[in-house]
Amino acid sequence: MTQSPSQRALIIDDSKAMRSILRRIVAALGFETAEAGHGQEALDHLEAATATGQLPDLCLIDWNMPVMDGYTFITEVRKRPEWRGVTLMMVTTESEQGQIVRALAAGAHEYVIKPFTPDAIAEKLELLGLVTKGVLA
Amino acid sequence: MLRRLRALPIEKPVTMAPASFQLIAALVLRETSMVYEPHKEYLVEARLHPLAAQAGCADIDAYVQLVATRPAERRKAIDALTINETSWFRDNAPYQVFTETMLPDLLARRAARRHLTIWSAACSSGQEAYSIAMLLDQHLPAGWTADILATDVSTAMLARVEAGRYSQVEMNRGLPATHLVKYFTRVGAEFEIVPTLRRMVRTRHLNLAERFPAVGQYDVVLLRNVLIYFDQPTRHGILRRMHQHVAPDGYLLLGSSETTLDLPPDLHAMWEREQIGRVQTHRPTGVSRLPATGDTALAPRPPIPHPAGSTLTGVRP
């Protein structure tokens, strides 16, 4: 799979190991990556990125994190019209359908339940139009 | 794609030692980032069993020792453990073309019959058949019915289709979150397809490599990502037999890597390739396709018999 040049992904997860796994997956899809350990750190990143015109195209967001959880992060992002173009994808162990509905209603574009395979991330990003499959059907 | 596993039961008593599982899980994590959680021993066993047998090992533990010491065997094991599983809406483009081009065309051609027939000809665990069912649920006009036949050589796979239950890992594969919420209910650690979609799909055992039973004729046949598993004579035989099962104005869809298969002249003459957007379809030749103004002029076949309750009527919001 390939994607347009210069796409950026912000990986938000309190687990360093999970950030590393996600970083390798999205980097392989051609994204430049940045990381945050919780929602507030991610908001700070978006603020700084707004100032420099380097907003990420994609945020991969864990739900349960210290300081600010992923759900709160999404609601905060959705309050800011200038961040409307950022695609938000939850990547979480929360698998109850009620939680999925909550995340989608808050503004998440897609949802991946941990554990996942690398292909699952790639396929979701293809659904979101962020990557294009190299070999078309 | 679960085809390599088909001779094995999906769930079976775990016999591999915990240390063997830990070694394999660590290896796969290191090499691919893919996580094999505890309690997935049965899956590791199912995937490594054919390789263990091939290598002449007495059991999985002996094979794991081989994997630990031989790089070539390690590569084969990792391939087997990370083989792509069937996705929902696999490759996307065929499903887009189904919705945007084939379905409007067939709705016009079948206006008199108001019934569509689809065949998922190597249905594996059913994601293809149920993906089509979701699209029909969204796009079939009120008063129309649809029948989806799902066939496979594996009775274990057919049982999975009938159960309509999928693991979390399977649910992640290409299924939009909105569809997960709309078309599935949580049952324990799994997700179960809703009854309205389940009733649209009927299953039947069928070995593509052998003479087909009387399965009827279909508006769309999905024969995707299965021909590549057969040798050339068998592939050709399947495409010859399939000709009479695709409606004269219907569509045959192959996998993305299968549309370029070389065909002998007689078989080439039986199928007309038609490019629709990014997708190549095959349509039976020797039939003049009339304008899509209803199906009465096309000598319609009687509707494919299907059990009561296996149709879909109306459109849900």
Side-chain angles (χ1 to χ4, degrees), chain B:
Chain B
M1 285 191 283
L2 298 168
R3 313 203 73 75
R4 290 188 199 173
L5 313 179
R6 288 187 172 183
L8 295 163
I10 293 301
E11 304 259 3
K12 63 178 200 171
V14 172
T15 58
M16 76 186 300
S20 296
F21 175 75
Q22 285 162 13
L23 192 151
I24 289 294
L27 177 69
V28 173
L29 181 64
R30 189 177 71 230
E31 298 280 334
T32 70
S33 304
M34 188 173 161
V35 179
Y36 267 96
E37 290 198 319
H39 313 301
K40 293 290 183 188
E41 289 87 347
Y42 74 93
L43 193 56
V44 170
E45 276 212 70
R47 292 187 166 204
L48 294 187
H49 187 276
L51 293 176
Q54 197 178 43
C57 295
D59 55 32
I60 295 290
D61 291 330
Y63 181 68
V64 170
Q65 289 307 309
L66 206 62
V67 167
T69 53
R70 290 192 196 166
E73 207 61 47
R74 190 177 308 156
R75 176 43 53 197
K76 282 161 71 177
I78 287 169
D79 285 346
L81 290 161
T82 56
I83 189 170
N84 288 338
E85 293 179 355
T86 305
S87 304
W88 306 92
F89 301 97
R90 184 174 176 180
D91 298 329
N92 281 334
Y95 293 93
Q96 250 181 322
V97 164
F98 175 81
T99 306
E100 295 170 5
T101 304
M102 294 181 192
L103 199 50
D105 177 52
L106 290 168
L107 290 177
R109 292 179 184 279
R110 302 288 180 267
R113 198 167 74 183
R114 295 165 82 82
H115 181 74
L116 296 182
T117 53
I118 317 287
W119 179 10
S120 172
C123 67
S124 188
S125 40
Q127 283 88 337
E128 181 177 80
Y130 286 125
S131 295
I132 289 289
M134 290 177 212
L135 294 178
L136 291 173
D137 179 62
Q138 293 160 21
H139 299 287
L140 209 58
W144 283 68
T145 56
D147 176 35
I148 302 169
L149 173 67
T151 65
D152 203 277
V153 69
S154 161
T155 51
M157 284 295 127
L158 294 176
R160 287 210 63 201
V161 178
E162 286 158 16
R165 285 196 183 186
Y166 299 92
S167 70
Q168 281 182 15
V169 171
E170 288 172 316
M171 296 301 286
N172 278 333
R173 299 294 311 273
L175 183 71
T178 48
H179 289 48
L180 184 156
V181 171
K182 185 176 180 183
Y183 293 119
F184 292 86
T185 52
R186 184 82 186 262
V187 180
E190 295 182 313
F191 293 83
E192 185 173 303
I193 196 90
V194 293
T196 46
L197 264 57
R198 172 66 197 85
R199 284 195 294 269
M200 291 174 70
V201 177
R202 64 192 169 95
T203 59
R204 182 165 180 176
H205 179 261
L206 188 143
N207 185 350
L208 288 167
E210 296 171 355
R211 192 175 170 188
F212 298 171
V215 290
Q217 205 167 47
Y218 291 83
D219 299 319
V220 179
V221 174
L222 299 115
L223 183 68
R224 305 192 63 232
N225 307 303
V226 62
L227 291 180
I228 49 174
Y229 292 95
F230 295 109
D231 59 22
Q232 195 177 67
T234 309
R235 280 202 298 261
H236 293 168
I238 292 168
L239 286 172
R240 279 194 188 89
R241 287 193 293 280
M242 192 56 83
H243 188 265
Q244 63 175 305
H245 296 288
V246 180
D249 54 351
Y251 300 87
L252 171 68
L253 274 169
L254 304 180
S256 55
S257 61
E258 296 164 328
T259 54
T260 53
L261 295 174
D262 285 332
L263 303 179
D266 68 310
L267 192 51
H268 195 267
M270 292 171 78
W271 294 100
E272 180 185 326
R273 293 181 186 185
E274 184 174 313
Q275 191 74 27
I276 306 176
R278 301 182 303 178
V279 176
Q280 194 171 77
T281 66
H282 286 69
R283 311 188 77 177
T285 53
V287 179
S288 58
R289 290 184 192 92
L290 300 177
T293 55
D295 57 356
T296 49
L298 288 170
R301 298 143 304 283
I304 308 297
H306 49 273
S310 70
T311 58
L312 170 78
T313 303
V315 175
R316 276 163 282 283

Side-chain angles (χ1 to χ4, degrees), chain A residues 18 20-21 24-25 93 95-97 100-101 104 109-121 123-124 126-127 132-133 135-137, chain B residues 29-35 37 84 87 91-94 168-169 172-178 180-181 184-186 191 224 256 278-280:
Chain A
M18 183 52 66
S20 168
I21 287 170
R24 287 159 65 185
I25 293 170
T93 53
S95 60
E96 293 300 325
Q97 280 171 302
I100 300 172
V101 171
L104 295 176
H109 295 92
E110 259 305 335
Y111 201 102
V112 172
I113 303 169
K114 296 174 184 171
F116 54 83
T117 60
D119 280 346
I121 299 290
E123 286 160 359
K124 290 281 187 175
E126 191 184 4
L127 277 179
T132 307
K133 228 183 169 194
V135 180
L136 300 173
Chain B
L29 181 64
R30 189 177 71 230
E31 298 280 334
T32 70
S33 304
M34 188 173 161
V35 179
E37 290 198 319
N84 288 338
S87 304
D91 298 329
N92 281 334
Q168 281 182 15
V169 171
N172 278 333
R173 299 294 311 273
L175 183 71
T178 48
L180 184 156
V181 171
F184 292 86
T185 52
R186 184 82 186 262
F191 293 83
R224 305 192 63 232
S256 55
R278 301 182 303 178
V279 176
Q280 194 171 77

